[in-house]
Amino acid sequence: MLDHLGIQVRDVPASAAFYDAVLATLGARRLMEFGDVLGYGSDKPDFWLSPTTATGAAHEAHIAFTAPDRAAVRAFHDAAVAVGAEVLHAPRVWPEYHPTYFGAFVRDPDGNNVEAVCHAPE
């Protein structure tokens, strides 16, 4: 349904360091840069960061990235911890979503709830 998604961030270098680390564990990387606008993906940029232009408090977004397997979810979590992210939920099965939903949730530098999820069974 979605072709691409962009979010605005307060500190592009801090957010770039976070997303460079965590998205690499999921097979994605920074593919494009237009000044301080950054595009991430595996074959085309489908996730974008740009500097915020709004004033006032930001609203939390929830962004869930697909992981190919449970090991990638754990690697995402570990990479986020290594760059200082707040852990919201360590990797685990979430049976309330469905029996094989395996996810980890962290906060990015702007307070967004960022998740890696694998739907495959072990």
Side-chain angles (χ1 to χ4, degrees), residues 10-95:
R10 287 185 291 270
D11 183 339
V12 173
S15 291
F18 173 82
Y19 285 104
D20 286 349
V22 301
L23 293 180
T25 67
L26 304 175
R29 61 187 168 79
R30 193 184 316 182
L31 295 173
M32 288 188 167
E33 294 185 40
F34 298 102
D36 52 5
V37 177
L38 311 176
Y40 290 85
S42 55
D43 59 347
K44 69 174 186 62
D46 45 29
F47 179 67
W48 292 86
L49 302 178
S50 62
T52 188
T53 56
T55 58
H59 297 279
E60 176 184 329
H62 175 66
I63 306 159
F65 293 102
T66 301
D69 52 39
R70 292 179 179 200
V73 173
R74 289 183 192 96
F76 164 92
H77 171 266
D78 294 346
V81 169
V83 295
E86 174 190 355
V87 174
L88 299 174
H89 301 287
R92 71 172 177 90
V93 174
W94 295 83

